[in-house]
Amino acid sequence: MSNSPVRAQAKGAERVSAEGNSAVGEHGVSKRAKAANRKAAEPAKPATGAAGAAGATGAAKPVKAAEPRKATKATKATKAAKATEPASSAKPAKPAKPESRLAMVRRARRINRELAEVFPYAHPELDFRNPFELLVATVLSAQTTDLRVNQTTPALFAKYPTPEDLAAAVPEEVEELIRPTGFFRAKTKSIMGLAAALRDDFGGEVPGRLDDLVKLPGVGRKTAFVVLGNAFGVPGITVDTHFMRLARRWRWTESDDPVKIEAEIATIFPKSEWTMLSHRVIFHGRRICHARKPACGACPITHLCPSYGEGETDPEKARKLLKYEMGGLPGQRLDPPPGYPGRPAPPLGASEG
């Protein structure tokens, strides 16, 4: 009887415990507490969404907090690595914008103006006294220099001064006179043939029309324009090897066909400039802008030349490459026109120094 109150108190405690914990394990720990302890002991699983991040346990939070810091460090390391990359790994510079047609035309015309200041004395470099002599000399100038032609023609024209005289000549005698110009047999046939055509078809006179000139033996468009421009004052573009080379170097054309080059250049310059343009370009090609080794370091128009650097750029070395009056040497004409600043060329057989 004395233990009844104690038993009653114990039963009351069991009821309180049952209401607060729902269930109590055999060791006096609630089943809910045991479940919580097991969850705390399990490794944290990465959250897969907003609900996972919100329901993460305290043990998982430090891991989550560390991830952004690692990413930041990696980003800084990447930036540092990029900053120390060699310059060779940098992206190549964008190529220069191609020159427009308008810009090329303006540059070409400026080249012509500046060459006019450099060579105000530019002229045909063949000696002649009339259209017939100029025509024959131009035919003879193929595959040789104007200097060699000028040294050869005085004896030829002294013996055969007119088309009638040359047409009636003995071929072997003509061959011997023009032998120094090379290809003398083929050239003899050409000049005697054109002399006969002038005698028979044009009354012994050189015609002043392109269509008539190109019908003569050995006469093409280049020869015809030399005669028309310098004997008749008819504008024309003389596309010889020098003109072709410089027109391509200056990016006036990409063609290597003389007829196409002539047509393209004709659209760049006014007709009134054609003859003198030809003289200036040929002068520049013979004296400065040579085929094998251009004297770039002594060229007065390098600021306009897209091919600068193809030749010698050292000024002292380049000056030694200059020819004719630009290099202090005799010119090509034995009888140069007034105003020519150089020395006359020596006659055949004389020293050229």
Side-chain angles (χ1 to χ4, degrees), residues 15 17 62 67 76 91 107 113 115 120 134 137 193 212 256 274 278 285 290 296-297 315 345-346 351:
R15 284 196 299 270
S17 177
E67 287 178 355
K76 289 182 178 178
K91 292 182 179 179
R107 179 171 58 80
R113 291 195 300 271
L115 288 181
L134 178 58
D212 293 331
D256 55 4
W274 289 356
S278 301
H290 312 136
C296 293
S351 174

Side-chain angles (χ1 to χ4, degrees), residues 12-24:
E14 288 177 3
R15 284 196 299 270
V16 172
S17 177
E19 292 174 357
N21 297 315
S22 300
V24 178

Side-chain angles (χ1 to χ4, degrees), residues 152-338:
T152 302
T153 51
L156 178 69
F157 294 141
K159 191 169 185 178
Y160 310 109
T162 67
E164 292 81 1
D165 295 327
L166 184 57
V170 177
E172 290 75 16
E173 294 179 359
V174 176
E175 290 176 2
E176 193 59 31
L177 286 171
I178 67 171
R179 182 182 292 267
T181 67
F183 303 96
F184 55 92
R185 289 190 178 90
K187 290 180 179 180
T188 295
K189 186 177 180 179
S190 292
I191 62 175
M192 290 188 67
L194 70 84
L198 292 177
R199 179 196 62 193
D200 299 339
D201 300 332
F202 298 99
E205 299 292 332
V206 176
R209 295 176 65 249
L210 176 65
D211 292 343
D212 293 331
L213 285 170
V214 296
K215 294 176 183 177
L216 300 174
V219 178
R221 293 180 68 86
K222 183 192 79 171
T223 298
F225 281 128
V226 170
V227 174
L228 290 173
N230 298 287
F232 294 99
V234 178
I237 298 172
T238 304
V239 184
D240 70 349
T241 56
H242 302 288
F243 195 101
M244 289 174 64
R245 180 177 69 254
L246 269 61
R248 289 195 296 267
R249 280 182 177 170
W250 291 336
R251 308 289 192 270
W252 294 357
T253 180
E254 295 181 356
S255 176
D256 55 4
D257 182 287
V259 177
K260 291 182 180 179
I261 292 174
E262 176 198 324
E264 289 183 44
I265 303 304
T267 66
I268 298 174
F269 299 92
K271 193 172 183 178
S272 59
E273 288 289 316
W274 289 356
T275 299
M276 288 309 300
L277 169 72
S278 301
H279 290 324
R280 292 163 191 154
V281 173
I282 293 171
F283 256 59
H284 191 69
R286 284 175 170 167
R287 286 151 176 78
I288 299 176
C289 197
H290 312 136
R292 295 183 181 178
K293 199 169 185 180
C296 293
C299 178
I301 58 168
T302 54
H303 56 293
L304 299 171
C305 181
S307 299
Y308 172 75
E310 286 188 10
E312 180 58 64
T313 57
D314 179 82
E316 291 300 324
K317 293 180 180 179
R319 272 193 285 271
K320 295 178 182 179
L321 300 174
L322 300 177
K323 293 183 179 180
Y324 304 111
E325 77 282 355
M326 299 292 285
L329 304 172
Q332 296 203 89
R333 296 188 67 165
L334 279 66
D335 184 22

Side-chain angles (χ1 to χ4, degrees), residues 32-106:
R32 187 174 294 175
K34 285 183 178 181
N37 290 339
R38 282 197 303 271
K39 288 184 180 180
E42 290 177 358
K45 294 182 181 180
T48 57
T57 63
K61 289 183 179 179
V63 178
K64 296 266 182 203
E67 287 178 355
R69 288 197 296 271
K70 287 181 180 178
T72 303
K73 289 181 179 179
T75 302
K76 289 182 178 178
T78 303
K79 289 181 179 179
K82 288 183 178 179
T84 56
E85 284 181 357
S88 60
S89 65
K91 292 182 179 179
K94 291 182 179 180
K97 186 178 180 181
E99 185 178 39
S100 68
R101 164 76 181 179
L102 178 59
M104 183 275 289
V105 170
R106 288 176 174 172

Side-chain angles (χ1 to χ4, degrees), residues 108-129:
R109 293 184 177 184
R110 186 175 174 188
I111 287 176
N112 183 40
R113 291 195 300 271
E114 296 201 12
L115 288 181
E117 296 178 1
V118 177
F119 304 111
Y121 49 88
H123 58 269
E125 295 192 85
L126 290 168
D127 287 326
F128 68 97
R129 294 169 296 184

